[in-house]
Amino acid sequence: MKLVISIVYYDSGLPTLRETLVSIVRSLDYAAEELQDLKAKVVVVDNGGILNQVKHLASQVFENGVHEWMVLGTGGNIGYGAAHNLVILNEQSDYHLVINPDVEVLEDAFLKAIKYMHHNPNIGLLSPYSEDPEGYKQYLCKRYPAVLDLFLRGFAPRFVKRYFAERLQEYEMRYDLKGRTLSKEVMASGCFMFVRHNVLVNVKGFSPDFFVYFEDFDLSIRIGKRSTIAYVPDVRIVHGGGNASKKGIKHILMFAKSAFVFYHKHGWRWA
């Protein structure tokens, strides 16, 4: 049994990347104690132009470990999905994990994810339970977004969000995701996508239509047409990711461009 893990590093900070890698090694070691046939490979793709620094960091983390690892350099930012595809489309495995460099996995996360996928062969993609670093629950799974939902979440003032609170909670599936939930219509977050590799290969990985933002929603839709997506709260992570609207005008423009591509491809829903 083989698990390949791809991490695309851009600008999350090397200390944050170190924490992610350390948590991955810890969870792999824990899983290997029970799954003795488990083989793992961790591939860090440097999308930020600091290849030597990323290599040095990875060599320190994996120095005394038994897990295979590799660092690839793209020579520049080629996009989130394209960078992951360098691994997805060139590595053979049973399962593939797409994970952000600002995510920490709990020690038993991989063991529980692998066991769940093994016992549920109809599942193509697993999405975890997530908290932010302060311990507040995050709602990674979403419904198909209306344009109004995206505007409210990203740009509306607080009093407006309070007025639309019920709508936003519905979009975030807050009342649906209380236990294991299976669906073909869940929009999963790209910060942690535990996927059956043959499903990923069948849909040809991430779409080249997206540079950044919405590539995970697009992938979720394409995977959902071939298999089932599962929210499994027993698999737990801590995610430190932020909102595009808080990252400046450049990210807002990239978000808007990707949103246009997404809706043009899958259908507009305004409200």
Side-chain angles (χ1 to χ4, degrees):
M1 180 194 309
K2 186 171 183 180
L3 168 63
V4 171
I5 300 170
S6 60
I7 309 167
V8 173
Y9 175 83
Y10 179 58
D11 63 355
S12 58
L14 289 175
T16 303
L17 175 61
R18 176 188 289 275
E19 292 175 1
T20 296
L21 293 176
V22 168
S23 74
I24 286 172
V25 170
R26 182 172 60 244
S27 191
L28 286 175
D29 288 343
Y30 185 89
E33 290 181 5
E34 182 170 338
L35 306 174
Q36 297 183 359
D37 63 338
L38 176 63
K39 295 181 180 179
K41 183 174 183 177
V42 182
V43 184
V44 184
V45 183
D46 171 45
N47 230 4
I50 56 169
L51 180 62
N52 289 335
Q53 295 178 58
V54 174
K55 280 185 176 179
H56 178 68
L57 172 62
S59 67
Q60 291 180 321
V61 174
F62 291 101
E63 181 179 17
N64 298 317
V66 297
H67 309 294
E68 188 179 356
W69 64 276
M70 176 189 299
V71 176
L72 300 176
T74 61
N77 190 353
I78 65 172
Y80 178 87
H84 275 293
N85 279 350
L86 293 176
V87 187
I88 291 170
L89 302 179
N90 292 288
E91 293 285 345
Q92 297 297 319
S93 65
D94 297 289
Y95 306 109
H96 188 103
L97 172 64
V98 170
I99 185 172
N100 277 7
D102 58 0
V103 170
E104 292 185 50
V105 294
L106 269 64
E107 186 177 53
D108 61 358
F110 293 155
L111 178 62
K112 290 183 174 179
I114 292 170
K115 280 187 170 183
Y116 184 87
M117 296 292 272
H118 176 72
H119 291 295
N120 297 273
N122 61 311
I123 302 302
L125 187 160
L126 180 155
S127 185
Y129 173 92
S130 178
E131 293 181 351
D132 67 17
E134 284 71 47
Y136 292 99
K137 183 177 179 179
Q138 295 178 326
Y139 296 88
L140 299 184
C141 295
K142 308 291 193 299
R143 298 188 187 281
Y144 191 97
V147 174
L148 178 59
D149 297 322
L150 298 179
F151 175 79
L152 290 172
R153 291 186 80 245
F155 307 104
R158 288 186 179 180
F159 75 92
V160 175
K161 289 183 178 179
R162 285 196 294 269
Y163 182 80
F164 287 97
E166 186 173 342
R167 178 192 179 98
L168 291 174
Q169 290 170 359
E170 179 74 9
Y171 168 61
E172 294 178 339
M173 305 182 74
R174 293 196 177 206
Y175 302 115
D176 298 273
L177 302 183
K178 294 182 178 180
R180 288 189 178 88
T181 299
L182 308 180
S183 176
K184 287 183 174 292
E185 299 178 352
V186 170
M187 305 290 104
S189 170
C191 74
F192 186 105
M193 304 178 95
F194 199 97
V195 194
R196 208 173 293 278
H197 187 254
N198 64 344
V199 173
L200 263 183
V201 171
N202 285 338
V203 300
K204 300 181 180 179
F206 286 101
S207 170
D209 296 335
F210 302 89
F211 182 78
V212 67
Y213 299 122
F214 287 92
E215 65 284 302
D216 49 358
F217 280 15
D218 171 79
L219 183 62
S220 297
I221 289 174
R222 291 185 288 116
I223 288 177
K225 291 177 179 178
R226 295 173 178 264
S227 63
T228 301
I229 298 170
Y231 165 69
V232 183
D234 290 342
V235 179
R236 300 170 69 90
I237 67 170
V238 177
H239 177 220
N243 191 305
S245 64
K246 300 177 182 179
K247 297 180 181 179
I249 187 64
K250 180 179 178 181
H251 281 268
I252 292 174
L253 292 175
M254 288 191 294
F255 183 89
K257 179 181 178 181
S258 291
F260 178 85
V261 173
F262 175 81
Y263 285 118
H264 182 72
K265 183 174 182 180
H266 295 291
W268 289 86
R269 185 177 298 174
W270 293 99

